[in-house]
Amino acid sequence: MAEVILMPRLSDTMTEGVIAAWHKKVGDIVKKGDLLAEIETDKATMELESYQNGTLLHIGTAKGGKLQVNDLLAIIGNAGEDISGLINAKTPATTEVKNTTATKTDEPKTTTNQSASSIDVSKMEEVVLMPRLSDTMTEGVIAGWQKNIGDTVKKGDVLADIETDKATMELESYKDGILLYQGAKAGEKILVNDLLCIIGKQGLDVDTIVATIKSKGGNTENPKAEETKQETSSTTTATTNQQSQTVVNEGRIFVSPLAKKLAEEKGIDLKYVKGSGDNGRITKSDIDNYKPTQDNKPHTAEIATPLTVSNIPLATYDEVPVSQMRKVIAKRLSESLFTAPHFYLTMSINMDAAVAARTKLNENAKVKISFNDLVLKATALALTQHPKINSSWLGDKIRYNHNINIGVAVAVDEGLLVPVVLNANTLSLSQITTQVKDFAQKAKDKKLQPSDWEGSTFTISNLGMFGIDEFTAIINPPDACILAVGGISQIPVVKNGQIVIGNIMKVTLSCDHRVVDGATGAAFLQTLKNFLEEPLRMLI
């Protein structure tokens, strides 16, 4: 299916871009990471890379032409695909501008509105709009403000941490001044191109600027956030009628996984707990030291009364807004499972030799090799012998990738990230260990960048460290396969006619049947098994 690429906002003040050069022409094959075009913004000429594979079917304007932000820049899809409907479709931004123009022409304005409309907000250096920080981003969540209203801001200072659909990224200021206005609080959403903040000199008429943006259809106060506020307010009012409580956290609650688990075990409602971590994040010590006040202690009946229809307590629950990352995970995995015909192959591998080899390798090693590193190395070498596994379904053709780039699924609080070890077959075990540990730390610190998760040709998901014996995984598009790795269990096995205790690990290969057949997948697993059962072969 063809994908529309709109002109991105490549700086906070950019309203249009000039095509300095096209590096692909209509009809060319485009891969992820290929340079599509050079775009001249109001600050610099920047390179625009493709985020998808396919054929370039349409360009919005030739070299030297101008496009407004969110105008149609290009369309990438399958060769011969009908894109007339996409070309003729109007973008929301264009429709909004026309509606605004019609309103100016057809409707009389009050004096106040005329005054507000006389200000051209798009040319105001003080106004900072929510930038599009990834190609699929439609809205951003304020993970935390690094500057407060009234703070002095310099160029390069981090204004805020913005949670996109791919990662949490730092937004730097492009100007000097004082932070005079914030478009949303921590935990609230702002649509791309809506008012993020205002930076200027003291005395600037902030109210008029905000009113002007509102009059032009901007979601300055974030309607979705307002709905959440209203719902929260209604819920809080209803709760207050039942008992007086002091709510510390409203909206999104930042909490560590351990603290969340302890709170559930102790029956503590997190909205009453004040966090001591960064951005008010609730930690284990906050739960350990939490002492409910008289106001928010649960009321208990001193005399047991029989339950009747009138006194049965209502069910209680927490509803947490879905993060941008979780939305994208849900969308991509649903598309994968219901589009790609999955089948699964499971194999048991004797890890006795791998256990012994790992012990020897780690005796004097500067970096400690994990079993996951051994599996990744063995997988990379097995893929060199089975290129059909290292492939992608592209609709009318199958791509057999020459590079072996293995994605490693990493669990974080908000979901799952898959950073990619590029050219894994060429790396030593110590190099693989270093890269995987670096990715895990970046994921934990929310510092992974788009370049860290691009280019995957095969994926490994390992839940062995959580005590899982075996499981099946959903294929990570555009890969044709994913390997689910279970834990190593000591179980009785027959060896040389004797029953002995063996270290057995089960792996399950999920395959896209459009690309990989059963025999092909089985042959790959057999090669993987041979490498792990004789690990010295990996060092040759």
Side-chain angles (χ1 to χ4, degrees), residues 342-409:
H342 286 52
F343 73 92
Y344 310 96
L345 301 170
T346 300
M347 181 173 281
S348 296
I349 300 174
N350 190 314
M351 295 290 285
D352 286 348
V355 170
R358 176 175 175 266
T359 302
K360 287 287 186 183
L361 288 169
N362 285 339
E363 281 180 356
N364 300 308
K366 293 182 179 179
V367 290
K368 300 299 182 183
I369 309 282
S370 70
F371 287 113
N372 191 64
D373 301 328
L374 290 171
V375 172
L376 196 153
K377 177 68 175 178
T379 299
L381 295 176
L383 287 172
T384 62
Q385 299 183 30
H386 301 275
K388 289 185 178 180
I389 302 296
N390 194 49
S391 59
S392 302
W393 174 263
L394 300 181
D396 57 349
K397 53 184 172 289
I398 297 174
R399 171 175 296 161
Y400 296 106
N401 299 291
H402 296 156
N403 297 80
I404 294 176
N405 303 330
I406 298 183
V408 182

Side-chain angles (χ1 to χ4, degrees), residues 151-155 175-179 199-201:
D151 286 355
T152 299
V153 178
K154 296 181 180 179
K155 286 184 180 179
K175 53 181 70 72
D176 299 325
I178 298 172
L179 183 60
I199 298 173
K201 297 179 180 179

Side-chain angles (χ1 to χ4, degrees), residues 19-312:
I19 306 299
W22 281 103
H23 289 265
K24 296 287 183 180
K25 61 181 183 293
V26 173
D28 284 355
I29 300 296
V30 178
K31 298 180 181 179
K32 282 185 178 180
D34 284 356
L35 182 60
L36 275 181
E38 293 179 34
I39 299 177
E40 182 183 340
T41 74
D42 56 340
K43 297 185 182 295
T45 298
M46 305 178 71
E47 296 179 343
L48 180 69
E49 296 181 356
S50 174
Y51 283 88
Q52 56 250 353
N53 302 315
T55 301
L56 183 59
L57 304 177
H58 175 79
I59 59 175
T61 185
K63 176 182 176 181
K66 293 182 181 179
L67 288 175
Q68 298 293 313
V69 169
N70 290 336
D71 278 356
L72 178 62
L73 176 64
I75 299 176
I76 295 176
N78 298 322
E81 190 171 353
D82 182 12
I83 58 170
S84 56
L86 297 176
I87 295 174
N88 296 329
K90 298 176 181 178
T91 65
T94 306
T95 305
E96 185 178 327
V97 170
K98 290 186 177 180
N99 288 342
T100 304
T101 306
T103 302
K104 287 182 179 178
T105 306
D106 300 334
E107 295 182 9
K109 300 288 184 180
T110 63
T111 306
T112 306
N113 286 340
Q114 287 174 353
S115 175
S117 300
S118 65
I119 300 175
D120 189 349
V121 177
S122 65
K123 295 181 180 179
M124 294 189 67
E125 286 291 325
E126 293 85 359
V127 172
V128 180
L129 305 181
M130 173 64 79
R132 187 188 302 276
L133 298 173
S134 79
D135 63 321
T136 55
M137 176 181 171
T138 57
E139 62 186 11
V141 175
I142 307 297
W145 283 100
Q146 301 299 327
K147 296 288 184 180
N148 299 316
I149 293 177
D151 286 355
T152 299
V153 178
K154 296 181 180 179
K155 286 184 180 179
D157 284 355
V158 177
L159 281 176
D161 296 319
I162 309 293
E163 180 187 338
T164 73
D165 55 344
K166 297 185 183 294
T168 299
M169 306 176 74
E170 294 180 343
L171 181 69
E172 296 183 358
S173 174
Y174 285 90
K175 53 181 70 72
D176 299 325
I178 298 172
L179 183 60
L180 303 174
Y181 178 84
Q182 295 174 340
K185 298 177 181 178
E188 294 180 351
K189 299 175 184 177
I190 299 182
L191 298 176
V192 168
N193 295 333
D194 276 0
L195 179 61
L196 176 64
C197 63
I198 297 175
I199 298 173
K201 297 179 180 179
Q202 287 288 8
L204 183 70
D205 191 352
V206 173
D207 293 339
T208 301
I209 295 173
V210 174
T212 301
I213 294 176
K214 281 185 178 181
S215 69
K216 293 184 178 181
N219 292 327
T220 313
E221 293 298 330
N222 192 355
K224 291 186 179 180
E226 191 62 34
E227 286 179 18
T228 304
K229 286 181 183 178
Q230 290 174 358
E231 291 176 6
T232 305
S233 176
S234 300
T235 305
T236 305
T237 302
T239 306
T240 305
N241 291 336
Q242 297 174 13
Q243 60 184 43
S244 177
Q245 300 183 356
T246 304
V247 176
V248 177
N249 303 306
E250 291 185 352
R252 187 176 180 216
I253 299 176
F254 295 89
V255 57
S256 72
L258 179 56
K260 186 176 181 180
K261 182 180 179 181
L262 288 174
E264 290 174 353
E265 291 174 352
K266 295 182 178 182
I268 297 174
D269 193 333
L270 293 174
K271 65 184 177 183
Y272 303 122
V273 182
K274 184 173 179 60
S276 60
D278 294 339
N279 299 318
R281 184 181 176 88
I282 299 171
T283 63
K284 176 180 178 294
S285 61
D286 297 322
I287 300 298
D288 291 339
N289 298 327
Y290 174 71
K291 294 180 180 178
T293 61
Q294 188 63 37
D295 283 344
N296 54 37
K297 283 182 181 177
H299 292 271
T300 56
E302 296 186 6
I303 301 175
T305 57
L307 289 176
T308 64
V309 174
S310 61
N311 65 14
I312 293 177

Side-chain angles (χ1 to χ4, degrees), residues 326-344:
R326 178 57 64 184
K327 284 182 182 179
V328 174
I329 289 173
K331 180 176 182 291
R332 284 174 57 83
L333 293 186
S334 295
E335 289 174 352
S336 172
L337 186 61
F338 297 117
T339 302
H342 286 52
F343 73 92
Y344 310 96

